[in-house]
Amino acid sequence: MIELRSLRAGYRDGAVIEDVSLNFPAGKVTVLCGPNGCGKSTLLRASIGMIPRLGGEVYIDGDELSTLTRREVAQRAAYMPQERPVPSISVRRMALHGRFPYLGWPRRYTREDYAAAERALARADAAELADKPLPELSGGERQRAYLAMALSQETASVLMDEPTAFLDAAHQLAVMDTAASLAREGRAVVLVLHDLCLALRRADSIAVMDSGAVTAWGGADEVFASGALERAFKVKIRRVMTPDGWQYYYV
């Protein structure tokens, strides 16, 4: 579980997010939604100490972030960033990079590390890509490879910044299925999504961000009724009941 209390964070030019208080509870999938530049990625990074805080508190599994080493944070929370380099290594080797927080120096992988990487590759639907070099993959295939790296950390919290980007519809749904599966195991799962309809259908809770602040937070019904998504994105959202539940669409 990750808890943010009056979090304020940003960069040299000043704060990007102001007075954000949120919980990312174990066993739930939380989605952050908001227009470009509203602070979603900054919030994820600040939640695990990748950028300095300007104020507020962050707790990971009950411990204040400032009391934890970078290694301890990485053993508790995995982070899949929005933008990543593309090294000339295989997908399997990239998945093994997720085991770095558990290795000493020099790095020597154990049987458990290899087993964790293989589990992550299967879970990310990337097993068939394992021996392929990253530079030869499509954008969607690379996305699955980096998801495997995050999953191989096998942490109690998993934070993913736009994990469905570049993916086709089937793999987008597969990512959401994986998120739900992780939550059922008792993990705290946090995703940044731009697909509002997918978020409304699949998230346990949604936090709407606009201009560095959280303007709504709750279940899909509550957030939909609040109108916060429409105000943030300047679109109209409607829904219709189907045999599979509420389906959402833009007008």
Side-chain angles (χ1 to χ4, degrees):
M1 174 178 177
I2 298 177
E3 182 182 0
L4 314 179
R5 299 181 186 176
S6 301
L7 179 62
R8 183 171 183 263
Y11 305 93
R12 290 184 179 181
D13 294 336
V16 174
I17 56 174
E18 294 273 7
D19 195 28
V20 171
S21 295
L22 280 176
N23 290 332
F24 303 140
K28 300 293 183 182
V29 176
T30 302
V31 170
L32 303 180
C33 288
N36 291 333
C38 72
K40 303 182 297 297
S41 297
T42 298
L43 179 62
L44 285 191
R45 294 188 186 107
S47 298
I48 54 174
M50 292 185 68
I51 61 172
R53 277 178 286 164
L54 303 177
E57 300 170 293
V58 177
Y59 292 87
I60 301 180
D61 299 334
D63 294 319
E64 220 289 326
L65 180 60
S66 61
T67 68
L68 301 173
T69 65
R70 293 180 64 182
R71 181 185 177 96
E72 289 171 334
V73 172
Q75 291 174 349
R76 299 186 186 201
Y79 171 64
M80 177 182 170
Q82 181 180 0
E83 298 179 358
R84 298 164 296 277
V86 185
S88 295
I89 60 175
S90 70
V91 172
R92 177 175 284 107
R93 184 62 58 179
M94 178 56 65
L96 281 166
H97 282 193
R99 303 302 299 170
F100 283 1
Y102 306 99
L103 304 179
W105 186 261
R107 297 187 179 113
R108 293 190 176 91
Y109 297 115
T110 66
R111 287 184 179 180
E112 176 53 34
D113 295 319
Y114 284 108
E118 294 302 318
R119 287 192 294 270
L121 287 165
R123 198 162 206 175
D125 195 20
E128 77 280 8
L129 305 173
D131 295 321
K132 294 185 177 181
L134 280 171
E136 296 181 8
L137 303 182
S138 68
E141 289 172 333
R142 289 175 189 170
Q143 198 79 339
R144 288 150 58 191
Y146 279 94
L147 175 59
M149 183 178 72
L151 296 179
S152 72
Q153 283 182 239
E154 297 191 336
T155 52
S157 296
V158 182
L159 288 67
M160 295 181 274
D161 196 346
E162 296 197 49
T164 60
F166 308 113
L167 298 181
D168 58 36
H171 283 104
Q172 288 181 24
L173 294 175
V175 167
M176 299 309 294
D177 288 341
T178 297
S181 175
L182 292 169
R184 286 194 297 270
E185 294 172 3
R187 306 184 199 218
V189 184
V190 189
L191 302 90
V192 169
L193 292 181
H194 274 132
D195 187 331
L196 307 184
C197 298
L198 187 60
L200 287 163
R201 289 198 307 270
R202 293 297 193 98
D204 294 310
S205 63
I206 298 171
V208 183
M209 295 189 67
D210 197 6
S211 301
V214 173
T215 59
W217 177 30
D221 287 342
E222 182 182 355
V223 169
F224 175 78
S226 74
L229 285 170
E230 293 188 330
R231 290 190 295 272
F233 285 91
K234 307 298 189 294
V235 298
K236 292 182 178 180
I237 306 172
R238 299 292 182 264
R239 66 181 182 178
V240 60
M241 179 57 74
T242 74
D244 296 318
W246 288 113
Q247 298 297 313
Y248 299 84
Y249 60 97
Y250 310 134
V251 296

